[in-house]
Amino acid sequence: DSGVTQTPKHLITATGQRVTLRCSPRSGDLSVYWYQQSLDQGLQFLIQYYNGEERAKGNILERFSAQQFPDLHSELNLSSLELGDSALYFCASSGPGGLAGPNAYNEQFFGPGTRLTVL
Amino acid sequence: DQQVKQNSPSLSVQEGRISILNCDYTNSMFDYFLWYKKYPAEGPTFLISISSIKDKNEDGRFTVFLNKSAKHLSLHIVPSQPGDSAVYFCAASADTSWGKLQFGAGTQVVVTP
């Protein structure tokens, strides 16, 4: 158990709909990351938040957005869903704080993922 | 643009033998490399990492080798055990990226008795 929780575990929805995925980081971790894993693909970095603020962005579509709340949990919002958005979405957390340097953020702890199916 | 590549989608190895997983990268700014292991229906789990100032890091049965000039790293598992059957992802990070990991597509390892 990594200490990172994600809900829901599975989500089935229709094209054009909007969904929200939720993530709670490990206790004490300030950074939250979202990744997408499509079929037979590696994990694609979407976005990172650090202590409530957006820190880095990857190839995240404009239809997708995220936020990190004061209690450090994060939500990933996916709207106008398309068939191609069907994937596993992982949340990860890391970060003992900024003093440890950039590489301290690399050893990320992943949640079990949310499997999104768009029909 | 795939900056981290794992060219072998699968690897089958006998229990007790060595598993060697390979990973190539193209971005010379990468300075930290990690291997993650993933079982079905679970998230990836951190396995071992190496900084670009080293060429080898060992942790029990797992050793990662880094060849910066060739932009290549490998993970050795000795001896391989049935519980090692999983998908292994190589990941890389640049110093300025603050945790923005670039992952390879993964290698499925099957350890047979």
Side-chain angles (χ1 to χ4, degrees):
Chain A
D1 183 356
S2 67
V4 178
T5 60
Q6 287 187 250
T7 56
K9 205 171 177 105
H10 301 277
L11 200 48
I12 301 174
T13 188
T15 54
Q17 295 298 304
R18 183 180 191 273
V19 297
T20 297
L21 313 184
R22 184 188 168 103
C23 168
S24 292
R26 287 189 323 159
S27 177
D29 282 354
L30 300 178
S31 274
V32 168
Y33 312 79
W34 286 97
Y35 292 87
Q36 179 193 55
Q37 185 185 18
S38 302
L39 193 63
D40 294 332
Q41 300 272 328
L43 286 80
Q44 301 292 323
F45 171 79
L46 295 178
I47 198 163
Q48 177 200 2
Y49 277 82
Y50 175 80
N51 203 20
E53 294 191 7
E54 182 183 305
R55 171 153 266 173
K57 235 174 179 175
N59 296 327
I60 186 167
L61 300 171
E62 284 191 16
R63 300 183 286 110
F64 295 2
S65 65
Q67 53 184 325
Q68 186 179 27
F69 295 86
D71 66 352
L72 301 177
H73 92 271
S74 178
E75 292 181 357
L76 179 67
N77 301 295
L78 315 176
S79 61
S80 303
L81 285 167
E82 302 175 0
L83 295 177
D85 298 327
S86 295
L88 268 169
Y89 291 85
F90 289 102
C91 167
S93 75
S94 76
L99 298 177
N103 284 332
Y105 296 90
N106 290 323
E107 293 174 15
Q108 298 171 18
F109 296 83
F110 283 78
T114 292
R115 180 173 291 283
L116 174 66
T117 302
V118 182
L119 301 174
Chain B
D1 176 27
Q2 193 74 8
Q3 298 184 45
V4 178
K5 297 177 186 177
Q6 294 176 256
N7 292 319
S8 298
S10 63
L11 173 70
S12 182
V13 64
Q14 274 191 315
E15 183 177 0
R17 308 291 284 265
I18 183 171
S19 294
I20 299 177
L21 291 83
N22 293 303
C23 178
D24 297 295
Y25 62 95
T26 57
N27 188 342
S28 57
M29 299 298 291
F30 288 148
D31 65 345
Y32 201 80
F33 304 89
L34 308 91
W35 286 93
Y36 280 83
K37 174 179 175 178
K38 184 181 180 304
Y39 293 117
E42 294 183 13
T45 303
F46 170 74
L47 197 56
I48 191 169
S49 63
I50 187 166
S51 166
S52 60
I53 62 173
K54 295 184 176 182
D55 54 19
K56 177 182 172 181
N57 188 26
E58 195 171 348
D59 183 1
R61 296 186 297 114
F62 302 92
T63 303
V64 57
F65 296 92
L66 176 62
N67 181 334
K68 287 190 293 292
S69 60
K71 293 192 177 71
H72 176 85
L73 64 155
S74 62
L75 174 69
H76 292 208
I77 307 173
V78 184
S80 299
Q81 299 174 353
D84 296 330
S85 296
V87 178
Y88 290 78
F89 291 100
C90 170
S93 172
D95 182 46
T96 55
S97 68
W98 291 84
K100 181 179 172 181
L101 296 179
Q102 300 275 357
F103 281 84
T107 297
Q108 172 77 59
V109 172
V110 176
V111 180
T112 57

